[in-house]
């Protein structure tokens, strides 16, 4: 999963094109910006709040799975 600070059709930095393509094919690309929106410095702190929210959900889910596994 990758949370982007720009539109889904933009690869930033451009050196990450192969990585972005791999994530697109096997994972999830997420952005709150419309296609064509170029990255700007102010967008990345806004993106980080999404990363923080998802990380809390993922940790909670992994904790539940660990509890379920250990109780079997």
């Amino acid at each position: 999963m990758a949370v982007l600070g720009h539109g889904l059709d933009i690869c930033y930095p451009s050196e990450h094109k192969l990585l972005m393509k791999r994530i697109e094919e096997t994972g999830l690309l997420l952005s709150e910006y419309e296609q064509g929106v170029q990255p700007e410095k102010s967008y990345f702190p806004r993106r980080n709040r999404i990363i923080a929210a998802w990380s809390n959900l993922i940790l909670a889910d992994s904790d539940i799975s660990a509890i379920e596994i250990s109780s079997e």
Side-chain angles (χ1 to χ4, degrees):
M1 178 176 166
V3 182
L4 308 177
H6 46 76
L8 290 172
D9 59 329
I10 307 294
C11 182
Y12 177 81
S14 60
E15 296 85 23
H16 291 174
K17 285 185 181 185
L18 284 175
L19 175 60
M20 186 172 173
K21 184 69 173 164
R22 188 176 319 151
I23 295 169
E24 181 181 6
E25 292 171 351
T26 62
L28 173 68
L29 293 173
L30 182 65
S31 177
E32 65 180 319
Y33 301 100
E34 295 181 21
Q35 289 198 26
V37 174
Q38 297 292 322
E40 291 188 21
K41 186 177 179 179
S42 65
Y43 293 166
F44 290 91
R46 292 178 62 185
R47 173 209 59 183
N48 292 347
R49 69 178 164 62
I50 297 171
I51 293 171
W54 273 95
S55 66
N56 286 339
L57 291 172
I58 291 168
L59 287 175
D61 185 53
S62 66
D63 290 343
I64 291 168
S65 296
I67 293 167
E68 289 172 352
I69 291 169
S70 65
S71 68
E72 292 181 343

